[in-house]
Amino acid sequence: MTDSWATFGADLHLDLSAGRGLRAGLTEALREAARSGRLAAGTRLPASRTLAADLGIARNTVAEAYAELVAEGWLTARQGSGTRVAERARPRRAAAAAPVRRPARKGPSYSLRPGSPDLGGFPRAAWLSAARRALTDAPNEAFGYALDGRGRVELRQALAGYLARARGVYADPDRIVLCAGFLHGLTLLAGVLRARRVREVAVEGYGLDFHRNLLVRAGLRTRPLGVDEAGARTGELTAAAGAVLLTPAHQFPTGAALTPARRAAAVDWARTTGGLILEDDYDGEFRYDRQPVGALQGLDPDRVVYLGTASKSLAPGLRMGWMVVPQGLLDEVLAAKGPTDWASSTLDQLTLAEFITSGAYDRHVRGMRLRYRRRRDELVAAVAGRVGVSGIAAGLHAVLDLPAGTERSVLQSAAWQDLALHGLSGFRHPEAVALPARDAVVVGYGTPSDSAWSPTLAALAAALP
């Protein structure tokens, strides 16, 4: 078979005018390309026959140029490997001029930051199998522009069945809108609320500052609700708020589950005032010592926007989320998103649909539930008798209650242990003056890899009082 550039070499742009005659010009052009780095070390050059045909010169001319550059050390030629640009040592700078280079710091050696799963637990083999099946079965139009702003119908149908079965969500596939994670969904909803002339959104007194900041950037004021062992104090909701952002199944970061009475109070407020409840069900699949807590959306699908993601159950890098939107809000959300689904890869959507319908998603969640429960139990055992532990019935994080006035010193001690750790005070809304002072750290036990888990626990134990 004749060598071809498409298979055995790199396309070359060469100026043959640099030397006297064709061979000298070709030799100098190749030498200069290698010297300047335009031809990187290891680049495989075209066969002499191929390059000669492309340049319109004799094959022997190319072969002689190659041979000269091999002799000079610019190229290497081995049987079966072809002709390649040789590796060359870079010239050393004078010692006085050489800058002092310090190794880049990649961050703390250990991390217990909440909000991330164990990325090593991503089901690579099962996901690859689902991707193969999805790719094989995908219709040709799936590779074109995605013209339905809601996302692929295959995934919306799969999610409707799963959410109804596992989370108690009333989810018509036509009312599911796919998005690139929770923040994307919240961004769309913030724009819709602003367009509806909403000025204030109630939020939990403890929560993520970048969620609050997103709402503020959209022109919405955030007002904190009190939070205790029964979750957000939804009885504090007033008509001034046009919406409320809640984490009912597992309050972040305190870990409390919103009680039935407070769920009912939230729904009553929404019905009375016409407000919307934005339900962040970020880790609802992971529960350990209690029966599953269903989604708040099941109480009133017309007043609750349900938001879920694959960030905790699979991996945040998938950028895959979904909203179950009340019918009366659907057109506005779709208008905010735009007519095409540009946010998520069509093939990833089809793969997740196959992953769910095949049962692989349920198997993965069950396996990770056991894995995280073991970690939670080991965490509790490691700190037993030293600090109180709460919020551990579900989710991927726990709250370690500390003696009054010690949160800052524990965080400093953790830094000395090269451990990334977050204090509870960092999640407190700046206007939540009515919340009682509470010293604690929020431990994300889903974050470390299996190999790092034991030394991370040891670093935590050393940092505690």
Side-chain angles (χ1 to χ4, degrees):
M1 179 182 294
T2 303
D3 288 352
S4 74
W5 285 39
T7 306
F8 292 110
D11 289 347
L12 300 181
H13 172 73
L14 298 172
D15 180 4
L16 304 189
S17 63
R20 294 186 301 273
L22 287 176
R23 187 180 67 79
L26 176 60
T27 303
E28 181 56 29
L30 288 169
R31 183 187 293 116
E32 179 58 29
R35 178 190 294 119
S36 66
R38 190 165 63 84
L39 282 177
T43 299
R44 185 172 183 175
L45 301 183
S48 58
R49 182 190 305 111
T50 305
L51 184 56
D54 183 73
L55 296 177
I57 61 179
R59 180 183 179 187
N60 285 345
T61 301
V62 177
E64 290 170 1
Y66 278 3
E68 182 175 338
L69 293 172
V70 168
E72 293 178 5
W74 292 104
L75 304 179
T76 62
R78 295 185 178 86
Q79 185 67 31
S81 181
T83 304
R84 296 179 182 271
V85 179
E87 298 281 351
R88 293 184 62 82
R90 294 182 179 179
R92 295 183 179 179
R93 296 180 179 179
V100 177
R101 294 184 177 271
R102 295 180 175 86
R105 184 171 177 82
K106 297 181 179 179
S109 300
Y110 312 109
S111 176
L112 287 171
R113 293 190 180 101
S116 177
D118 177 6
L119 301 180
F122 184 80
R124 298 172 189 241
W127 184 263
L128 182 59
S129 296
R132 286 196 184 103
R133 294 192 298 271
L135 189 61
T136 300
D137 297 339
N140 291 339
E141 53 88 13
F143 300 96
Y145 293 105
L147 300 180
D148 190 337
R150 293 171 298 183
R152 290 296 302 187
V153 66
E154 295 91 339
L155 179 53
R156 290 187 282 114
Q157 289 172 341
L159 284 169
Y162 172 78
L163 294 173
R165 168 173 54 84
R167 303 297 302 128
V169 173
Y170 289 92
D172 184 325
D174 289 341
R175 293 197 294 110
I176 294 178
V177 178
L178 303 179
C179 51
F182 175 81
L183 283 179
H184 180 210
L186 186 59
T187 299
L188 297 176
L189 292 170
V192 170
L193 291 172
R194 181 66 179 174
R196 286 188 163 199
R197 301 186 181 279
V198 170
R199 293 294 178 263
E200 182 175 293
V201 176
V203 298
E204 295 163 329
Y206 285 108
L208 291 167
D209 59 353
F210 51 85
H211 290 176
R212 299 192 296 262
N213 294 341
L214 185 154
L215 295 171
V216 170
R217 286 195 299 272
L220 301 166
R221 173 181 169 82
T222 63
R223 185 177 297 278
L225 300 174
V227 175
D228 56 28
E229 66 280 357
R233 297 173 186 161
T234 53
E236 298 175 2
L237 287 166
T238 68
V244 58
L245 175 61
L246 297 173
T247 52
H250 190 226
Q251 201 282 323
F252 187 88
T254 66
L258 195 64
T259 61
R262 292 189 178 180
R263 287 174 170 238
V267 171
D268 288 343
W269 164 84
R271 290 170 177 169
T272 301
T273 65
L276 283 171
I277 300 172
L278 313 182
E279 178 178 12
D280 179 6
D281 194 33
Y282 65 99
D283 66 357
E285 292 94 345
F286 298 110
R287 78 276 179 182
Y288 312 115
D289 301 327
R290 70 182 189 201
Q291 291 297 313
V293 177
L296 178 62
Q297 189 261 9
L299 295 179
D300 195 335
D302 293 327
R303 303 309 318 169
V304 181
V305 182
Y306 175 91
L307 297 102
T309 78
S311 297
K312 305 299 184 293
S313 57
L314 287 169
L318 288 178
R319 306 310 309 144
M320 194 74 71
W322 45 87
M323 295 184 285
V324 184
V325 182
Q327 187 63 49
L329 196 68
L330 183 59
D331 288 344
E332 295 164 77
V333 171
L334 291 176
K337 187 182 180 187
T340 60
D341 185 23
W342 52 266
S344 303
S345 160
T346 294
L347 293 181
D348 284 343
Q349 292 181 35
L350 292 174
T351 299
L352 181 55
E354 171 63 27
F355 200 70
I356 293 172
T357 56
S358 68
Y361 187 81
D362 283 275
R363 290 191 294 273
H364 170 70
V365 168
R366 285 195 297 269
M368 295 305 292
R369 192 180 294 147
L370 292 173
R371 187 173 184 169
Y372 291 138
R373 179 170 182 163
R374 284 194 295 269
R375 286 195 177 187
R376 183 210 61 174
D377 292 346
E378 291 166 356
L379 168 66
V380 172
V383 302
R386 303 178 66 179
V387 294
V389 186
S390 60
I392 59 174
L396 306 182
H397 71 273
V399 178
L400 307 187
D401 286 294
L402 305 171
T406 62
E407 180 181 309
R408 178 174 296 183
S409 63
V410 168
L411 294 178
Q412 291 173 340
S413 181
W416 280 107
Q417 299 297 325
D418 211 12
L419 169 66
L421 194 62
H422 282 187
L424 181 63
S425 61
F427 298 100
R428 185 182 177 123
H429 193 292
E431 298 178 20
V433 293
L435 288 176
R438 183 181 178 187
D439 284 78
V441 290
V442 183
V443 174
Y445 53 81
T447 303
S449 65
D450 282 346
S451 60
W453 176 236
S454 293
T456 301
L457 267 187
L460 173 65
L464 293 177

